[in-house]
């Protein structure tokens, strides 16, 4: 497929000069939008007979590069801090919460249901059920929509959803041979049986099984997939570096201007209080250009600079039925409206989910791309984002791979991830979805929009998209 896409899509490239100009223009779009933001009056997406589900508040502890201040903690410590931050900010009585759902990707074996352990640690009632979901990088998206479904069905009025990832410490297992020997040894009854088993242990039994951020079905890392995807859609190294620089520059601007309202401080036990993300590092095109390919060597275009980095972090979001929120005196931030999940080929189209999910969620909501005021897309790799934008803007791809008559179109960059994204803010796998949703809500209020579109890709060739509607001000 790669060669087919390469030959067909290369006729639609965004030139480096054009991309640079677009990126430069987008750097100033936030201040322009804020200065001229005017309330818009569009139809509400509420449906007769369906409960309105609202976001009351969303928070996250600072997202940190792995191996830094959170390195000695466990995942439930981070999730607990996010839950406590949410309680502090909202003053929500803990006994009012009907259910807690958390998303995570690489589970700590001691706390496999991290939602429950974090909830108990944060002081929630032991009578409050909690469960953990996993769906790769859209795990907290799944946690959110699980909560939406429970509220819409009338099972709950108040749900806390969230996500957590601690890449500083991941499970490393003994080899399978050693595991089998140890389990058998545990069942041995006599000294002779035990000695016999021990005598069969060989040096190679001690080689550990290291976790790999790779597809089980293809044995290929997402970085390799991003490199091939960028090549297929003619995304140059220069374009990727330009986009990555854009992400870091916009994130630094948002951080300096106090726009990242979802971040709550976290006093790390035995260390200082962490107050902001530490992966935001605007560089220069010259410095980024010196880095060598990270995955496909020596000709790949994906580098450490234009990829999201291994990140530790946790998030939490308070969902309620509209009636419950108003009854408790809360002013919601946004409605959560239509959403979709998609899946496709986990090899050649591993990271193309936003292209598939965006038109589906727009059609489900009865909207067009022009109706969307803010876009929040997960940035796994700059090449992945730019490949999706090109695919979305290609009639050929829509007709040959999506079964559509025409393209949906690419989101305009002046509405796209204007407060930074995963490349700069960080990507703790299970926690990113909550950041996307609450950022969309905050941007809608700040910029005077009504509809936001959140989209994300995930390992396994899956993805998610959701419409966020600003709550009437």
């Amino acid at each position: 497929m790669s060669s087919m896409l390469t030959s067909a899509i290369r006729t639609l490239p965004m030139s480096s000069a054009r991309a640079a100009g677009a990126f430069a223009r987008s750097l100033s779009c936030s201040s322009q939008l804020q200065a001229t933001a005017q309330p818009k009056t569009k139809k509400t997406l509420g449906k007769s007979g369906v409960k309105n589900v609202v976001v009351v508040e969303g928070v996250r502890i600072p997202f940190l590069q792995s191996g830094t201040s959170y390195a000695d903690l466990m995942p439930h410590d981070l999730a607990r801090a996010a839950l406590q931050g949410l309680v502090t900010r909202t003053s929500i009585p803990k006994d009012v919460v009907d259910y807690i759902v958390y998303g995570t990707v690489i589970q700590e074996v001691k706390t496999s249901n991290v939602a429950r352990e974090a909830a108990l640690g944060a002081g929630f009632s032991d009578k409050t059920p909690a469960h953990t979901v996993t769906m790769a990088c859209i795990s907290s998206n799944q946690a959110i929509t699980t909560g939406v479904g429970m509220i819409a069905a009338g099972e709950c009025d108040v749900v806390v959803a969230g996500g957590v990832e601690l890449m500083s410490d991941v499970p490393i297992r003994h080899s399978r041979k050693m595991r089998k020997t140890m389990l058998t040894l545990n069942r041995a009854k006599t000294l002779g049986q035990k000695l016999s088993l021990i005598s069969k242990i060989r040096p190679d039994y001690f080689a550990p099984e290291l976790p790999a951020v790779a597809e089980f079905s293809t044995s290929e890392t997402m970085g390799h997939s991003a490199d091939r995807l960028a090549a297929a859609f003619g995304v140059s190294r220069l374009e990727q570096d330009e986009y990555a620089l854009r992400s870091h520059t916009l994130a630094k601007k948002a951080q300096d201007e106090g726009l990242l309202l979802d971040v709550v401080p976290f006093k790390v036990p035995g260390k200082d209080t962490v107050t902001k993300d530490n992966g935001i590092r605007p560089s220069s095109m010259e410095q980024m250009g010196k880095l060598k390919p990270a995955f496909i060597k020596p000709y790949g275009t994906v580098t450490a600079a234009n990829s999201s980095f291994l990140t530790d972090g946790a998030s939490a979001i308070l969902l309620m039925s509209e009636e419950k929120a108003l009854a408790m005196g809360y002013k919601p931030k946004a409605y959560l409206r239509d959403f979709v999940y998609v899946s496709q080929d986990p090899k050649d189209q591993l990271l193309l989910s936003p292209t598939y999910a965006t038109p589906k969620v727009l059609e489900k909501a009865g909207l067009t791309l022009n109706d969307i005021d803010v876009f929040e897309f997960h940035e796994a790799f700059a090449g992945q984002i730019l490949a999706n934008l090109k695919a979305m803007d290609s009639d050929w791809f829509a007709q040959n791979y999506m079964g559509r008559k025409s393209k949906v179109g690419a989101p305009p960059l002046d509405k796209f991830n204007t407060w930074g994204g995963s490349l700069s803010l960080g990507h703790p796998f299970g926690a990113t979805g909550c950041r996307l949703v609450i950022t969309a809500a905050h941007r809608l209020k700040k910029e005077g929009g009504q509809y936001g579109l959140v989209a994300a890709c995930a390992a396994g060739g899956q993805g998610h998209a959701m419409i966020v509607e600003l709550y009437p001000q």
Side-chain angles (χ1 to χ4, degrees):
M1 173 184 168
S2 294
S3 58
M4 293 172 59
L5 289 178
T6 301
S7 59
I9 303 297
R10 281 190 187 279
T11 61
L12 304 168
M14 183 186 346
S15 70
S16 299
R18 181 181 169 192
F23 294 156
R25 288 192 298 274
S26 70
L27 295 182
S28 61
C29 73
S30 292
S31 58
Q32 293 171 355
L33 285 170
Q34 292 155 19
T36 61
Q38 297 292 330
K40 297 183 179 180
T41 54
K42 299 178 182 178
K43 66 178 181 179
T44 179
L45 299 181
K47 298 176 182 176
S48 177
V50 178
K51 278 192 174 184
N52 285 327
V53 180
V54 298
V55 174
V56 173
E57 185 59 274
V59 304
R60 61 183 177 91
I61 60 173
F63 287 176
L64 303 186
Q65 291 185 332
S66 297
T68 56
S69 294
Y70 301 156
D72 296 329
L73 302 180
M74 292 179 67
H76 73 283
D77 294 319
L78 305 189
R80 179 182 67 234
L83 288 173
Q84 290 172 331
L86 185 67
V87 170
T88 298
R89 179 168 289 189
T90 62
S91 299
I92 183 75
K94 294 175 183 175
D95 58 357
V96 172
V97 176
D98 299 312
Y99 209 98
I100 297 173
V101 194
Y102 251 73
T104 195
V105 178
I106 301 179
Q107 294 180 317
E108 163 60 52
V109 293
K110 292 182 179 179
T111 57
S112 57
N113 186 4
V114 69
R116 176 65 169 171
E117 304 305 331
L120 292 174
F124 285 85
S125 169
D126 58 9
K127 302 298 189 292
T128 304
H131 80 267
T132 302
V133 297
T134 185
M135 201 173 180
C137 300
I138 53 174
S139 292
S140 63
N141 304 70
Q142 181 59 253
I144 290 172
T145 57
T146 297
V148 170
M150 297 175 81
I151 295 172
E155 294 296 320
C156 301
D157 281 320
V158 182
V159 174
V160 172
V164 63
E165 214 68 51
L166 182 70
M167 296 303 294
S168 289
D169 181 31
V170 296
I172 298 176
R173 305 194 299 177
H174 280 291
S175 67
R176 188 171 190 124
K177 291 179 181 179
M178 178 61 89
R179 298 200 306 272
K180 289 177 67 175
T181 300
M182 294 172 70
L183 290 171
T184 306
L185 186 64
N186 191 51
R187 295 192 295 268
K189 296 181 179 180
T190 67
L191 178 61
Q193 290 174 333
K194 292 180 179 179
L195 291 174
S196 176
L197 286 167
I198 292 173
S199 69
K200 295 178 182 179
I201 296 176
R202 298 292 179 265
D204 66 315
Y205 282 30
F206 293 96
E209 287 185 1
L210 301 176
V213 185
E215 292 296 301
F216 179 80
S217 59
T218 65
S219 298
E220 187 175 71
T221 68
M222 284 190 288
H224 281 86
S225 295
D227 235 327
R228 288 193 300 103
L229 191 66
F233 282 88
V235 181
S236 70
R237 165 73 180 271
L238 180 62
E239 287 176 304
Q240 293 174 60
D241 287 351
E242 286 171 343
Y243 185 87
L245 180 58
R246 171 189 189 267
S247 182
H248 280 273
T249 303
L250 290 174
K252 184 66 166 65
K253 184 173 185 291
Q255 188 179 68
D256 291 345
E257 294 180 358
L259 300 179
L260 305 182
L261 301 174
D262 55 333
V263 178
V264 293
F266 176 27
K267 175 63 175 71
V268 181
K271 298 182 180 180
D272 294 334
T273 298
V274 180
T275 60
K276 62 182 182 180
D277 308 315
N278 72 357
I280 303 173
R281 298 178 180 179
S283 181
S284 69
M285 291 297 295
E286 182 181 7
Q287 290 175 315
M288 296 170 71
K290 295 178 181 178
L291 295 183
K292 295 182 178 180
F295 299 98
I296 298 179
K297 303 174 181 180
Y299 302 114
T301 56
V302 175
T303 71
N306 57 43
S307 308
S308 57
F309 47 87
L310 295 180
T311 314
D312 301 333
S315 55
I317 198 165
L318 180 59
L319 308 175
M320 290 187 183
S321 64
E322 183 180 21
E323 296 87 347
K324 184 69 172 182
L326 296 179
M328 293 187 67
Y330 288 109
K331 178 64 180 293
K333 291 181 179 293
Y335 293 109
L336 294 186
R337 298 304 194 187
D338 292 287
F339 61 87
V340 299
Y341 287 92
V342 297
S343 61
Q344 60 277 340
D345 175 15
K347 185 175 182 180
D348 286 325
Q349 299 191 25
L350 176 70
L351 303 172
L352 274 179
S353 296
T355 298
Y356 285 87
T358 295
K360 287 188 175 182
V361 79
L362 288 173
E363 290 167 3
K364 190 174 182 181
L367 300 174
T368 68
L369 200 71
N370 290 334
D371 292 317
I372 304 301
D373 302 298
V374 303
F375 295 86
E376 283 293 325
F377 278 35
H378 164 46
E379 301 170 347
F381 304 89
Q384 161 257 329
I385 278 288
L386 295 174
N388 272 275
L389 297 183
K390 289 192 176 186
M392 293 171 70
D393 207 29
S394 167
D395 284 319
W396 180 89
F397 188 84
Q399 293 163 4
N400 287 274
Y401 283 92
M402 301 176 66
R404 300 177 58 84
K405 293 181 179 180
S406 61
K407 64 188 180 183
V408 65
L413 281 178
D414 62 358
K415 298 180 180 180
F416 192 85
N417 291 11
T418 57
W419 292 0
S422 303
L423 290 173
S424 49
L425 299 171
H427 175 38
F429 299 148
T432 291
C434 287
R435 179 190 67 77
L436 296 173
V437 169
I438 196 63
T439 300
H442 286 156
R443 282 185 57 203
L444 285 172
K445 182 177 181 180
K446 183 72 174 178
E447 298 171 5
Q450 184 166 345
Y451 301 136
L453 196 156
V454 169
C457 61
Q462 301 188 104
H464 169 259
M466 171 183 278
I467 300 296
V468 177
E469 181 183 342
L470 181 68
Y471 197 81
Q473 300 302 297

